[in-house]
Amino acid sequence: HTFFEMLGNWSFGDYYKKEAIAWAWELLTAVWKLEKRRLWATVYETDDEAAGFWKSETDIDPDHILRFGKKDNFWEMGETGPCGPCSEIHIDLTPDYSGGGLVNAGDPRVMEIWNLVFIQNNRRENGDLEDLPAKHVDTGMGFERVTAVLQQTQSNYDTDVFSPIIEAIAQVTGRPYEGEANQVAMRVIADHIRMLTFAIADGAIPGPDGRGYVLRRILRRAARFGRNLGMNDPFIYRISGAVGAAMGDAFPEIIARRTHIEKIIRGEEESFNQTLDRGLQMFDAAVERMGHSRVFPGEDAFKLYDTYGFPIDLTELMAEERGLKVDLAQFSTLMEEQRDRARGASKTGPHLPVADMLKVSGEFHDSRFVGYVETETNAVLDRVVQDRYLALDRTPFYVESGGQVDDTGIIEGENFVAEVIDSFRQEKKIVHEVRLLRGEFSSGSGIQVLARVDRRRRLNIERNHSATHLLHEALRQILGSHLHQQGSLVAPDRLRFDFNHFERISRSQLRAIEDLVNEKIADKVAVNALNDPDEWLTIEEAKHRYPNVKMFFGDKYGDRVRIVEIDPKFSVELCGGTHVGNTDEIGLFKIIAESGIASGVRRVEAVTGDGLGQYIDEQVRRIGSLDDHLAALREEKETLERLLGRQPAERNRTRESLGAIPVGGVPRTREGLDSLEALIRTREETQDTLAGETAALKKEASVERVRNATSSLDALLSLATEVDGVTVVSGRVEADSIDELKRMADALRERLGSGVGLLGSVIEEKVSLVCVVTDDLIAKRALRAGPIIQASAKIVGGGGGGKPHLATAGGRDVAKLDDALSSAAQTVKEILAKTQ
């Protein structure tokens, strides 16, 4: 099972072996009335104490007490730490009670139903065991397994734990729970939907890595088994309600979050279904290429994973059904190459040689980052490497981390000024890559310098970083607490925040998120941070002191963490970045984009500070471009109307009627941005209307041109050439598009009755050609439009092809269009000569 319930109880130094054994026997035989002669107890080979209690505290048949070694009856949680012997209870389900010899043999007729773990030792690093000062008990029993025993079924899936869910699957799919194929598929889906329902209710969500990827793998496996039941559309989400009906009394959260669970599962199903069919086709094609080989290529398995999102275990499952094995070695090699490419793009890679040079250059002191409270500081220059890398004893320059980009600025000494263009860490050292602006670096160490961060750029970064924290909480409040950061970028001109979510965010939701962030900014909330590393906390201290702090299962944290608090009831996060002192310094927050970047992962981009000003300038320029485009569209529309013999409609949408930019510029207020967006929206709506009207006129004009052109086709027909009994017509016509030219060629084909036609036109300063051949010549004379047009296309420096009755081509050499058209007769003659 991917989800199961474990029954059990713990004792921390209270009761021990005697009580645990007695109570286990009482529950199994006195309460649940299991036959005593079917029960067998196992103990660790040297645990005389447990064996003695089985004899003194129960009436089990002494011959049913068996001893086993470490593999079966000794529990350890790792190479070191708490451990101890265990005593297991097995049930013999053979008809004649003959299963004693099958205990711990892996036979389903005799299976373990309860394990009593006695934690009495501690294993030291050298492997020795020592007694714990207090002895403990941990018992465990699988609910699904014991239910099958009590209900006397052959399988866990035939108990009333699963039957309501399987009935729902049968109803949704329209398939009976009969036959091995149907039963296997329904059991897999029933198991997987339980796991998905509970995991998503607890806050997990399918994603590209970590626990999210475990959910994604399980859901995709269930979707694939759905295909075995004829389900090509999303359906698994419809089964989650049955899980709630079966288990909701004990676990009310799965009922309360039913809509949320269904939305997430459906969104993931829809995403995977788009590629599942193509992936299955690719799998089948790969199997066909294999011939008699029984090893599915690792290269194809990797492509299924990389292109179609097939987890490797899903590919292994499909291969196993065909009696095949996957080449996991080749798959692993390709995966590692992909990881190497990703690591090659990391920031630390190019700087490794610098680290080596620093190590050999003598004693080097750790660097101290003082940039949380200082943007300018006196420092000591410890090392200069290649006149390009500087290392200071203390520095205000932030090194890119946690999504926040590097600081830039100046390092100035008595004899030089250098611009900091990049920074990176090597162990506990901070190294700055610089560009020398003037002077030269002095040799030696201990030189006094002034390190100065670009304060305006830093302020914009801090605005965006603090706004990111506010955005994170606003997203969770508006969209749901399932939301978990997947990545971020904090730059001076913008911020970007990636997070798991199952559907597109609506305009009204984006507005609510924006308003909530701006509300916190307007509240002028103090941003409190632990800036002294000596004040940083352990994870447990952080949880205790800040109960509202955001921590996510699966995330990795250091030994000590820094807390950034923006209103203890709103945003408390672990963060090593720099921030404003008060939210009022952020100014106005504006979301500029929302998009999906991967299955189940959305991205929001926003601006504050100087980035907001740049955004406003870009939108004002956009309005100018829209106005220019609108003017061009109006002119094109009027030209088309005149061509069709109509009086152009009066222009009633001038720039003034669309709204004008304020003379003093757009104010940096919520109202100002709303006004700017309204101006853009009005122009876009007008543009859409004009574009639609213009497209309709273009189509009408095209039909008119084709009609006029077809009347002139008679002139071309009068100039037809006869080639070995085949009529060949070619000529230049006026067309506005390749579609127009094709319609003219179709008309020529109809008029020909029997023959070959080649039409050409210059469209957008390039040659376009269309060739047609009537059906009788295709059948009786083996003529095809493709070879004819390819020969003509070569003359104008191009190529083409198509169907036997119609082919198209293009070319660059406009001057040779007439030569290409006149070559048609000769080409037909040569083709006929070859076929006779």
Side-chain angles (χ1 to χ4, degrees), residues 156-219:
N156 294 1
Y157 294 99
D158 295 329
T159 67
D160 58 12
V161 175
F162 282 96
S163 57
I165 303 170
I166 290 176
E167 287 171 9
I169 296 171
Q171 184 176 0
V172 169
T173 62
R175 296 288 185 93
Y177 182 55
E178 299 171 358
E180 183 179 1
N182 282 3
Q183 287 183 338
V184 169
M186 289 184 180
R187 289 176 176 184
V188 170
I189 295 167
D191 172 83
H192 289 7
I193 190 60
R194 291 205 320 158
M195 183 275 191
L196 291 163
T197 298
F198 275 86
I200 293 170
D202 280 346
I205 193 168
D209 49 34
R211 64 175 182 175
Y213 187 57
V214 175
L215 266 68
R216 176 164 289 172
R217 287 168 57 192
I218 287 172
L219 181 50

Side-chain angles (χ1 to χ4, degrees), residues 277-293:
D277 284 328
R278 293 195 296 274
L280 292 173
Q281 290 170 4
M282 186 208 147
F283 178 85
D284 290 338
V287 172
E288 283 186 23
R289 290 196 306 271
M290 287 167 52
H292 297 295
S293 173

Side-chain angles (χ1 to χ4, degrees), residues 578-829:
T578 63
H579 290 268
V580 296
N582 190 289
T583 59
D584 185 50
E585 298 175 49
I586 298 173
L588 188 66
F589 170 86
K590 171 63 183 171
I591 294 175
I592 61 172
E594 187 274 339
S595 61
I597 60 169
S599 177
V601 181
R602 309 295 301 178
R603 169 173 290 173
V604 164
E605 297 178 64
V607 290
T608 68
D610 289 350
L612 178 63
Q614 294 169 15
Y615 171 75
I616 292 173
D617 291 341
E618 288 171 5
Q619 300 313 299
V620 171
R621 287 193 293 271
R622 184 180 172 193
I623 288 175
S625 296
L626 283 169
D627 284 338
D628 292 341
H629 189 219
L630 284 171
L633 271 174
R634 288 193 185 98
E635 289 182 12
E636 184 178 10
K637 180 187 174 188
E638 290 171 1
T639 301
L640 288 166
E641 287 171 331
R642 291 191 185 96
L643 283 172
L644 291 168
R646 299 172 192 169
Q647 182 64 32
E650 183 180 350
R651 294 190 182 186
N652 57 3
R653 300 291 285 180
T654 63
R655 290 194 183 199
E656 289 71 25
S657 66
L658 293 172
I661 302 294
V663 176
V666 178
R668 290 195 189 187
T669 63
R670 175 76 263 179
E671 294 75 17
L673 288 177
D674 287 346
S675 174
L676 184 63
E677 289 179 341
L679 293 175
I680 292 173
R681 203 156 41 243
T682 302
R683 283 162 169 78
E684 288 177 336
E685 290 169 357
T686 304
Q687 177 180 266
D688 290 343
T689 301
L690 270 175
E693 294 171 350
T694 304
L697 289 171
K698 279 183 175 180
K699 187 173 182 180
E700 193 175 342
S702 176
V703 170
E704 188 66 25
R705 275 194 300 272
V706 172
R707 186 183 297 115
N708 293 335
T710 54
S711 63
S712 65
L713 292 179
D714 292 334
L716 289 178
L717 286 167
S718 66
L719 299 174
T721 302
E722 191 81 13
V723 178
D724 196 10
V726 174
T727 301
V728 179
V729 176
S730 62
R732 182 195 287 244
V733 293
E734 294 297 324
D736 194 53
S737 67
I738 188 65
D739 287 334
E740 261 185 39
L741 191 60
K742 286 164 70 176
R743 287 198 294 273
M744 292 177 189
D746 279 333
L748 175 61
R749 187 170 182 269
E750 290 179 8
R751 288 172 180 254
L752 273 170
S754 175
V756 174
L758 179 66
L759 298 181
S761 183
V762 177
I763 301 172
E764 296 181 354
E765 300 181 359
K766 293 181 181 179
V767 173
S768 291
L769 297 168
V770 178
C771 179
V772 289
V773 179
T774 56
D775 292 341
D776 62 316
L777 298 179
I778 295 172
K780 296 177 181 178
R781 304 297 296 273
L783 284 173
R784 302 286 187 273
I788 298 171
I789 205 166
Q790 286 170 3
S792 298
K794 286 181 180 178
I795 297 173
V796 292
K803 298 179 179 179
H805 72 283
L806 186 147
T808 61
R812 298 182 299 275
D813 196 341
V814 174
K816 293 185 178 180
L817 172 57
D818 292 332
D819 294 340
L821 293 169
S822 62
S823 70
Q826 181 62 30
T827 301
V828 171
K829 184 177 181 180

Side-chain angles (χ1 to χ4, degrees), residues 526-545:
V527 179
N528 299 312
L530 300 177
N531 292 328
D532 185 347
D534 293 336
E535 297 177 350
W536 292 8
L537 309 173
T538 65
I539 290 292
E540 292 305 317
E541 290 171 337
K543 289 179 181 177
H544 178 71
R545 191 181 303 181

Side-chain angles (χ1 to χ4, degrees), residues 27-184:
L27 177 63
L28 293 173
T29 61
V31 180
W32 288 345
K33 308 295 185 184
L34 296 182
E35 288 185 78
K36 296 176 182 178
R37 60 189 293 204
R38 288 197 178 278
L39 299 178
W40 292 75
T42 66
V43 297
Y44 184 50
E45 56 191 358
T46 61
D47 192 355
D48 296 333
E49 184 181 21
F53 284 133
W54 274 110
K55 293 175 182 177
S56 66
E57 302 304 315
T58 76
D59 59 352
I60 191 173
D61 182 343
D63 291 337
H64 282 209
I65 304 170
L66 306 176
R67 294 178 184 254
F68 286 88
K70 182 178 178 181
K71 174 178 175 292
D72 296 300
N73 279 78
F74 196 90
W75 174 85
E76 294 181 281
M77 73 175 200
E79 293 183 2
T80 61
C83 57
C86 57
S87 183
E88 297 174 348
I89 304 165
H90 298 249
I91 187 165
D92 176 5
L93 299 177
T94 60
D96 57 357
Y97 303 90
S98 61
L102 300 176
V103 174
N104 278 335
D107 192 305
R109 292 173 297 172
V110 180
M111 63 181 180
E112 173 199 338
I113 57 171
W114 203 341
N115 188 12
L116 316 178
V117 177
F118 307 127
I119 307 173
Q120 64 189 41
N121 304 115
N122 177 60
R123 188 174 296 281
R124 302 170 68 179
E125 289 187 2
N126 62 5
D128 292 344
L129 293 177
E130 59 184 5
D131 288 341
L132 291 170
K135 296 182 169 72
H136 317 298
V137 175
D138 169 20
T139 72
M141 172 189 290
F143 172 69
E144 292 82 4
R145 182 176 293 188
V146 76
T147 301
V149 170
L150 293 174
Q151 295 182 4
Q152 298 181 2
T153 66
Q154 295 297 311
S155 165
N156 294 1
Y157 294 99
D158 295 329
T159 67
D160 58 12
V161 175
F162 282 96
S163 57
I165 303 170
I166 290 176
E167 287 171 9
I169 296 171
Q171 184 176 0
V172 169
T173 62
R175 296 288 185 93
Y177 182 55
E178 299 171 358
E180 183 179 1
N182 282 3
Q183 287 183 338
V184 169

